Amino acid sequence: MSHDAAVEGIGMGVGPDGTNVPAVILTAREEYLPIFITSDQAQSIRHSLSGEPFERPLTHDLLVEMVTEFGGAIDGVRIDELADGTFYAKVDAERYVDGQPETFAFDARPSDAIALAVRSECPITVSDEILDAAGRDPDEIEVEKPEPDRDDELVPDDLFSDDPEE
């Protein structure tokens, strides 16, 4: 079964080597799902969540605009696989040709898929299997929402770690 998910915010976690790593935090089934991402992806998602305009379109803005201009739409995003600690996603899209819908599913990094979903305001879904394997109790993770006036700062360090005892 799949569950609708929402982007709760961006957090900082501790990676396997002990360094701080940004993560996008999804909420589904009353659980948090942290997905580690790059700083650039975190910045892109953060900008979109906060509604901050950027001087020039970022890659995700450009892709959404191109899909739309070519008569397509991004219908949804699925976080549908977790293998060896790596999440995988699909972007579902469609376009109409001669009045008939043509559907597509594109493999994507979850960070890219989520950045597109936030911009196109389409649903994000996460499977029970993913949540069973990687979902976290909300009490374990502190999430700070991005604020428009905090341009170069994501969130405080060490909001969560892989160790539930911390």
Side-chain angles (χ1 to χ4, degrees), residues 58-155:
L58 297 174
T59 304
H60 300 111
D61 300 314
L62 176 62
L63 185 56
V64 169
E65 185 176 337
M66 288 175 68
V67 167
T68 303
E69 287 298 316
F70 285 121
I74 297 171
D75 292 334
V77 164
R78 297 177 275 146
I79 311 300
D80 62 354
E81 189 178 341
L82 177 60
D84 298 323
T86 301
F87 291 93
Y88 295 86
K90 300 270 188 309
V91 175
D92 295 318
E94 72 176 7
R95 71 176 175 181
Y96 283 83
V97 176
D98 297 326
Q100 298 298 313
E102 238 186 310
T103 59
F104 302 89
F106 299 98
D107 290 327
R109 295 185 303 177
S111 55
D112 287 324
I114 292 165
L116 293 172
V118 170
R119 284 166 170 76
S120 59
E121 298 178 2
C122 70
I124 300 169
T125 58
V126 180
S127 69
D128 275 325
E129 293 80 20
I130 300 296
L131 290 167
D132 290 345
R136 305 283 290 269
D137 187 297
D139 292 336
E140 295 178 42
I141 299 173
E142 182 182 334
V143 178
E144 203 172 292
K145 306 274 197 246
E147 297 173 19
D149 60 359
R150 293 177 47 202
D151 191 37
D152 58 356
E153 192 179 328
L154 288 175
V155 290

